[in-house]
Amino acid sequence: MQYVSTRAKDTIVSSAEAIVKGLSEDGGLFVPSEFPSITEQELFSMQDMEYSERAAFVLSKFLSDFSIEELNDYTKKAYDRFYDGDPCPLVAIDDKTYILELWHGPTCAFKDMALTLLPHLMVASRKKVGETSKTLILVATSGDTGKAALEGFKDVEGCEIIVFYPSEGVSDMQKLQMQTQTGNNVYVCAIKGNFDDAQSAVKVIFNDDKVKNQLLENGYKLSSANSINWGRLVPQIAYYVSSYVDLLASEDIKMGDKINFCVPSGNFGNILAGYYAYRMGVPINKLICASNKNKVLTDFFNTGKYDINRDFYKTMSPSMDILISSNLERLLFEISGRNDKYVAELMNSLKTKGYYEIDFANFKENANNFEGGYSNEDMTMNTISDFYDENDYLLDTHTAVAVGVYKAYSEQTGDNTKTVIVSTASPYKFPQDVYNALTGEMLEDSINAAEELEEYTGIDIPEPLQNLQSRKVRFKDVIEKDKIKEAVLAAIKK
Ligand SMILES: *Cc1c(COP(=O)(O)O)cnc(C)c1O
């Protein structure tokens, strides 16, 4: 399987190159040159596999540079790091609603599903393409990617990692997790700006030949651990396939029955992986894209206009406080009939004017399984407390956005299709807001809030979030948002 750039189809690379590079030189994103299919027979036989084997099987369809033995080895190592058994349990709430918990990994967010695996793919890909420079992973994070990437890449041979996060745009817990990161090849830095500022600055560096040459002189080449990297997306396809297989195995559905997924979205990487599973042939009815108050995606799905000329809000679901959803580019590529010139034009319009508009009728036809909705802050709070009262299940602030959007969707449409709500973080990553939703009391300190929440609900604080307060803070730098380039060059010389 080969990969092409969304902005220039004649740029063709292998899967290993796509992973090592992260981003195409023309600024586009790598996508598979075609979609492999998954047959009913294969879905059927996956029932007997463990999650790591299912993941390796799905990966093998896309990553033809790797043998199934290699992939099984990596997925086993990756998912062995999850702290309690099944890396992605599917919890039934009632006879048509399920929660897919993707946060049992080392940092308690769904990013671990891919970022425990990406380092193995990266090291192997480096060997396969004969890379002799060090790989410098640059990450912009809205909170969860940073920590998951740091845990994944710490002390990984041949790689160094630098993470930028918005100083005031992440939860206290997320900040503490990153500031206390261990490892000899890591650097973490806060910027005065929001996630979009961090992501844009990182993308500029990827396209800045001068900086790239300076890095090369020091023995480094850039790559990305954000979901713009194909190696981040492909592991995410596996859990969409696997939850279908779980529902088959539990006889909640019959082979061929369609299901919905509702996904709390920001950079559009998670839900895009669901779309890819659909393109492989997994029977999916609707992909419901849930946003918080930063509802640029909702508006896009309802009007065809993607417009970032609007206020940016800081919400209690910070990992979704994003206006520029990078992975939408990959969807635009598919639904425009893989029209690379058109995608390049749209992205240029976004960059220069802050918006683009597509042919909506045509879009509705080609992307007819997408729905968009959003939940404002009050609604998210109410969802957390209602869901806890009704189902004795504790949602984090991001998953609550999805639950709220799904509820509104099912009331409006009467759609009775069985629906999997993709749960992206442990409630203990956002303990103050979750505790406030349940009790009406806002606690000052996140560690204290986590302890109170544990006492109130009787649900244990996950092991990776215990004893954070006793870990040493290593990274306190805060820089202006236009100084990222300098910070990168300074960090590699340390
Ligand atoms: C990253 C993240 C999201 C958004 O996922 P995208 O792939 O960026 O759309 C949602 N919830 C949580 C908790 C996250 O960490």
Side-chain angles (χ1 to χ4, degrees):
M1 170 88 50
Q2 294 188 306
Y3 289 79
V4 298
S5 162
T6 48
R7 297 189 201 176
K9 273 192 291 198
D10 47 6
T11 303
I12 298 172
V13 298
S14 67
S15 52
E17 278 176 286
I19 290 169
V20 172
K21 287 194 158 132
L23 194 67
S24 177
E25 262 134 45
D26 50 54
L29 308 181
F30 290 117
V31 290
S33 59
E34 63 195 346
F35 286 103
S37 58
I38 192 152
T39 63
E40 290 194 346
Q41 184 53 46
E42 287 171 328
L43 289 171
F44 184 84
S45 54
M46 282 173 88
Q47 292 180 87
D48 297 328
M49 298 181 189
E50 284 181 22
Y51 184 73
S52 65
E53 296 169 300
R54 290 179 185 176
F57 182 71
V58 172
L59 288 171
S60 71
K61 294 193 171 265
F62 288 95
L63 304 180
S64 42
D65 298 344
F66 300 81
S67 70
I68 186 75
E69 290 75 22
E70 285 173 298
L71 294 172
N72 266 312
D73 177 39
Y74 309 152
T75 55
K76 179 122 186 45
K77 284 181 182 142
Y79 299 120
D80 273 355
R81 294 189 57 198
F82 280 54
Y83 59 86
D84 50 12
D86 186 352
C88 47
L90 190 62
V91 180
I93 299 297
D94 54 38
D95 57 6
K96 66 167 191 132
T97 322
Y98 305 81
I99 302 243
L100 176 63
E101 295 180 350
L102 299 178
W103 38 264
H104 295 266
T107 75
C108 303
F110 94 93
K111 307 296 196 292
D112 289 326
M113 296 301 296
L115 282 164
T116 50
L117 189 57
L118 181 63
H120 297 290
L121 294 174
M122 186 66 79
V123 169
S125 297
R126 282 170 46 83
K127 291 207 181 102
K128 287 181 201 284
V129 303
E131 186 59 72
T132 50
S133 308
K134 278 195 186 176
T135 297
L136 178 63
I137 315 267
L138 281 193
V139 179
T141 183
S142 56
D144 289 327
T145 297
K147 178 63 184 179
L150 288 161
E151 272 305 310
F153 280 99
K154 77 170 178 202
D155 298 327
V156 168
E157 191 197 316
C159 299
E160 291 187 19
I161 172 164
I162 304 180
V163 170
F164 295 101
Y165 69 89
S167 168
E168 303 307 319
V170 300
S171 81
D172 293 351
M173 212 58 138
Q174 290 173 320
K175 192 181 278 190
L176 201 53
Q177 279 185 300
M178 289 189 279
Q179 289 180 333
T180 56
Q181 180 63 44
T182 58
N184 289 321
N185 60 342
V186 305
Y187 174 62
V188 178
C189 182
I191 66 152
K192 293 183 194 160
N194 61 34
F195 170 73
D196 292 314
D197 296 323
Q199 175 163 261
S200 300
V202 164
K203 276 195 189 162
V204 166
I205 296 180
F206 271 91
N207 293 312
D208 184 330
D209 288 334
K210 206 163 139 230
V211 185
K212 285 200 283 194
N213 281 333
Q214 275 170 292
L215 289 172
L216 206 52
E217 281 162 24
N218 288 282
Y220 292 94
K221 275 191 199 158
L222 291 175
S223 189
S224 168
N226 282 97
S227 51
I228 53 178
N229 192 319
W230 177 249
R232 250 297 292 284
L233 267 186
V234 67
Q236 297 178 178
I237 303 171
Y239 52 76
Y240 286 92
V241 180
S242 178
S243 46
Y244 191 85
V245 173
D246 279 341
L247 288 172
L248 276 179
S250 62
E251 298 186 351
D252 286 45
I253 56 171
K254 295 191 304 299
M255 183 65 79
D257 286 353
K258 289 188 177 179
I259 61 172
N260 297 332
F261 286 96
C262 181
V263 189
S265 296
N267 222 359
F268 206 70
N270 197 351
I271 194 167
L272 184 78
Y275 174 74
Y276 286 161
Y278 160 75
R279 291 293 302 267
M280 292 175 79
V282 177
I284 292 174
N285 176 41
K286 292 287 181 193
L287 290 161
I288 305 161
C289 177
S291 300
N292 65 22
K293 202 176 167 191
N294 294 295
K295 60 182 184 64
V296 62
L297 285 165
T298 311
D299 292 342
F300 174 69
F301 283 114
N302 293 329
T303 66
K305 184 168 182 188
Y306 194 92
D307 189 353
I308 63 168
N309 298 307
R310 61 174 73 209
D311 289 337
F312 175 90
Y313 300 107
K314 271 172 41 178
T315 73
M316 64 181 133
S317 44
S319 304
M320 296 157 67
D321 289 345
I322 293 177
L323 292 181
I324 306 175
S325 303
S326 296
N327 280 295
L328 196 59
E329 177 168 350
R330 287 184 161 116
L331 181 67
L332 293 169
F333 184 70
E334 298 307 329
I335 60 182
S336 65
R338 305 206 136 201
N339 189 339
D340 52 352
K341 303 280 174 309
Y342 179 62
V343 171
E345 268 167 37
L346 295 179
M347 292 305 124
N348 191 43
S349 167
L350 183 63
K351 197 167 149 194
T352 53
K353 296 190 277 193
Y355 71 89
Y356 58 80
E357 199 161 3
I358 57 168
D359 176 350
F360 194 49
N362 179 44
F363 172 69
K364 272 284 166 200
E365 204 170 299
N366 291 318
N368 62 0
N369 56 350
F370 277 95
E371 298 286 334
Y374 77 102
S375 170
N376 64 26
E377 296 289 89
D378 281 348
M379 183 168 153
T380 304
M381 289 270 276
N382 291 335
T383 303
I384 293 173
S385 72
D386 292 351
F387 208 76
Y388 184 69
D389 291 344
E390 287 160 21
N391 305 300
D392 206 17
Y393 186 97
L394 190 62
L395 297 167
D396 90 284
T397 47
H398 303 72
T399 310
V401 166
V403 168
V405 166
Y406 170 63
K407 227 176 136 209
Y409 163 83
S410 71
E411 275 161 20
Q412 272 158 28
T413 59
D415 181 357
N416 261 326
T417 311
K418 288 193 175 12
T419 299
V420 173
I421 291 162
V422 177
S423 175
T424 48
S426 157
Y428 284 102
K429 283 197 101 163
F430 312 93
Q432 286 133 302
D433 289 311
V434 173
Y435 188 74
N436 185 23
L438 297 188
T439 64
E441 189 186 353
M442 191 68 184
L443 298 171
E444 272 293 302
D445 175 74
S446 62
I447 303 283
N448 174 243
E451 285 164 0
E452 292 293 327
L453 188 60
E454 182 174 49
E455 178 139 343
Y456 187 87
T457 61
I459 300 167
D460 291 342
I461 300 175
E463 187 234 277
L465 297 178
Q466 290 169 11
N467 305 319
L468 265 185
Q469 67 275 30
S470 57
R471 294 183 208 162
K472 186 169 163 258
V473 170
R474 293 180 67 203
F475 301 103
K476 279 191 176 161
D477 294 349
V478 184
I479 60 165
E480 298 295 331
K481 65 183 177 190
D482 56 1
K483 290 283 182 297
I484 287 188
K485 204 160 39 176
E486 288 76 6
V488 168
L489 293 170
I492 57 157
K493 289 182 180 151
K494 268 186 194 154

